[in-house]
Amino acid sequence: MIFVTVGTHEQPFNRLVECIDNLKKDGTIAEEVIIQTGYSTYEPKYCKWQKLFSYQEMLKFVEEARVVITHGGPSSFIMPLQIGKTPIVVPRKLKFNEHVNDHQVSFSKAVAERMGTIIVVEDMDKLESTIAGYDETIGRMKSGLKSNNSFFNRELEKLVNEMFGDNQK
């Protein structure tokens, strides 16, 4: 099963939802797909979907999924990381009116580069091949997260502080 979540940000993420639905429609994705569509206005026709799921439902889907695809919000991609899964992260972009700026692009790229624990896909044309090669890709990744949550959290905190400033001191 593939689980897709676009988070709870109030701007639609139709680009991701529609892309996944089309991959299911044309048979590129053969397995079951469940999508949390949030405030997206596109309604999938070929995938199971719901606007919002409870935290417990989300956790269940993430645990059961072979592949988890999220937007670039840290809260969404941290859940799969915490249970040892490598998410495919598709950051929302300003130019498509999916967010107020491109912070998801820069943040997810920085996490992928520094931590090596997520797969970032900015171009929807590359999502199909990323899903198809998912198992091979994660097999090659040098993820140190498997049982190293405290290290990951320290590094993530440093990254957030560098990007947004550490006003706590």
Side-chain angles (χ1 to χ4, degrees), residues 60-123:
K60 177 181 175 281
F61 292 140
V62 169
E63 287 174 344
E64 292 175 358
R66 180 182 71 83
V67 177
V68 177
I69 302 170
T70 78
H71 70 126
S75 294
S76 291
F77 68 72
I78 283 177
M79 180 187 283
L81 289 171
Q82 288 175 326
I83 60 173
K85 299 217 176 175
T86 302
I88 295 172
V89 176
V90 181
R92 293 169 175 264
K93 293 185 176 183
L94 174 63
K95 75 179 181 180
F96 298 113
N97 199 32
E98 297 163 345
H99 219 305
V100 297
N101 58 32
D102 282 331
H103 73 278
Q104 284 195 358
V105 175
S106 56
F107 185 72
S108 58
K109 285 165 105 175
V111 170
E113 183 179 309
R114 282 202 172 165
M115 306 301 295
T117 54
I118 64 174
I119 301 165
V120 178
V121 175
E122 288 186 66
D123 183 351

Side-chain angles (χ1 to χ4, degrees), residues 6-24:
V6 301
T8 58
H9 181 70
E10 63 273 3
Q11 288 172 278
F13 199 2
N14 292 327
R15 187 169 58 103
L16 176 57
V17 175
E18 188 170 2
C19 178
I20 295 293
D21 199 41
N22 286 330
L23 292 174
K24 181 68 176 167

